[in-house]
Amino acid sequence: MYKKLFATAVFMAACIHAGAQTLANNYKGTNDGNPISGSVFCADPTALEYNGRLYVYGTNDHQQFIKNGKTGDNSYGDIKSLVVFSTEDMVNWTFHGTIDAQKLCSTWSGNPWYTGFMNSWAPSVTWRHNEETGKDEFFLYFANTSHGVGVLTAESPVGPWKSPLKKSLINKDTPGALQSAANFDPGVVIDDNGTGWLTFGGLGPEGNGTNLLPGDTRIIKLQPSMTAIDGTAVLLPAPYHFEANELNMIGGKYVFTYCSNWSRDNNEWNAYTAEHGITAPVPSTGTMCYMVADDPTDPSSWVYKGVYGPHPGTSGNNHSHLQKFKGKYYHIYHSGALLEAMKSAGDLNNAGGYRSLCVNEATVNESTQTINQVTLDLTGVEAVGTMNALELQEAETIATCGGINYEDFTNITKNGRISNLGNDASENMQVKMKEGSWFMLRRVDFGSEGATRLMLRAKGEGTVEVRIGRKGAKSEATFNVSSDEMSDYTIDVDASRFKGTKTIYIVVSSGSAVYLDAWQAFDAQSDGIHQVESDTAVKASDDYYNIAGQRIDPSAHYRGIVIHNGNKYIKR
């Protein structure tokens, strides 16, 4: 259980200045929003909005990076898990760990070449509220290499996930599926009538296809379960199609986005535009294009609209997702920004093809389904809110960082051991730090009256400082951590310093292994004492959630923060 240590230490205005201290390199600028993670390689994004948070899922490039010993090129063959991030404000991102697709799909049977599990790439996600059961349902589709599409289900955006099938959902045996091109890169949407649709395909041409019209894209209706197909896959005639399929509903129409291939002929393009009565210029290679339809099963209904996402220039391939969140549209994509920053810092040499997720704002006219071309940059997007310091915040929520690892993230550990994280992507996440490690949070709101105390939940041996404005600033609050189990350290601080909206840095100034789990500020009216639940299991009829919004299995033992009816508890 958590111990509570209400330290007698008070605010330390004259703490050791950090000027002479060597702090770990950061590979993401402190004023930049991209990439969203300054330490984890991930790619091929998809996303959903749920309960005021944006959840982003991606291919776990970091698994391949570690498997390769942080050298060589990304071959994708050892990527067998997916990565999950979320945000409330678009600048501070919570890392929820990985979804172990290999473990979840270990019982898949049949021909392993295309129906048994092989890899997990390029996810696509959606969710709905089931009126009959009263539960929220989440569906996560992924490319099982280039030979099919698998599906996972959950009742929370962070799991626990399960495989409802004993083989891939889409493969060569699927009616209408591709036979020579790739049945991969799924794109899912639930339309305005509640019907699910899935696109897939790429790497053509297929059959009599050409470079202009490869014929390697399919769309298929899903049964109400969302885990079985309904009918036969039909052609989606995307010009210069290559991969990276995603679907959206915008203004009552189906919007299909994809990455273009690497072959161009202006004469054939001019003939195509004349035949279809469109004026869009020929797309550049490796760009994100889009089409619009009223009837997704009628190939003649699809109209090519143009390019909206340029090639990022540093990632080799291109893959993106268009997502609306809190009234704005965002272009979520991958680039080589993190890899290039590591190389520029001299911390990585012989490695290539490892990608990282980025976000820039998109301009969409919903009435005409027109998407303006997006500008890609490292600055990223503006915050759409603030972080409430007076609420418990997970240490895995970070804007940028240097020198940190995630304790239960197998694919970052040096020896590559199997993680105890398992399939519960958020229960045991902690941030591992050592001397010189740090992370930054942007737009942290301490309230108009200011905070009088800070709490840090940590274990290990070391000194943790809270700095304001600059990572090299003097400490405004210092925690001396000394415990073998997660404990709450609470100290008094000067409310005039922790007042209003701040940029803060949490820095380990000494210690070889310090683990951070959460932190919180308290104003003068807060007692800082959490209510504590007993060890008895919660009732199955009650809805309990962890701090990430994940519904807790009543039959399972759980340790950590529990939310019930809007109140926070500690479950021991």
Side-chain angles (χ1 to χ4, degrees), residues 268-285:
E268 66 180 6
W269 181 253
N270 290 337
Y272 173 82
T273 55
E275 177 184 357
H276 291 85
I278 59 177
T279 58
V282 61
S284 299
T285 59

Side-chain angles (χ1 to χ4, degrees), residues 176 178 214-219 232-238 296-300 302:
L178 302 164
D216 61 351
T217 321
R218 297 289 184 269
I219 185 166
T232 300
V234 299
L235 173 70
L236 198 166
T297 62
D298 178 4
S300 65
W302 287 99

Side-chain angles (χ1 to χ4, degrees), residues 502-540:
K502 305 287 186 182
T503 296
I504 66 169
Y505 293 81
I506 296 180
V507 181
V508 173
S509 57
S510 68
S512 60
V514 179
Y515 300 85
L516 272 58
D517 183 56
W519 66 273
Q520 186 173 2
F522 301 98
D523 58 21
Q525 285 73 45
S526 303
D527 59 19
I529 300 175
H530 302 284
Q531 293 171 284
V532 180
E533 277 281 306
S534 69
D535 291 327
T536 57
V538 297
K539 295 180 180 179

Side-chain angles (χ1 to χ4, degrees), residues 43 52 55 79 93 98 102 125 173 228 259 296-298 302 359 366 375 398 404-405 414 482 492 507 512 522 548:
Y55 290 84
I79 300 175
W93 291 86
T98 62
Q102 182 177 34
V125 70
D173 296 334
C259 177
T297 62
D298 178 4
W302 287 99
V359 184
E366 293 184 334
T375 299
I398 290 171
I404 73 161
N405 279 328
K414 291 182 179 180
S482 181
D492 294 334
V507 181
S512 60
F522 301 98

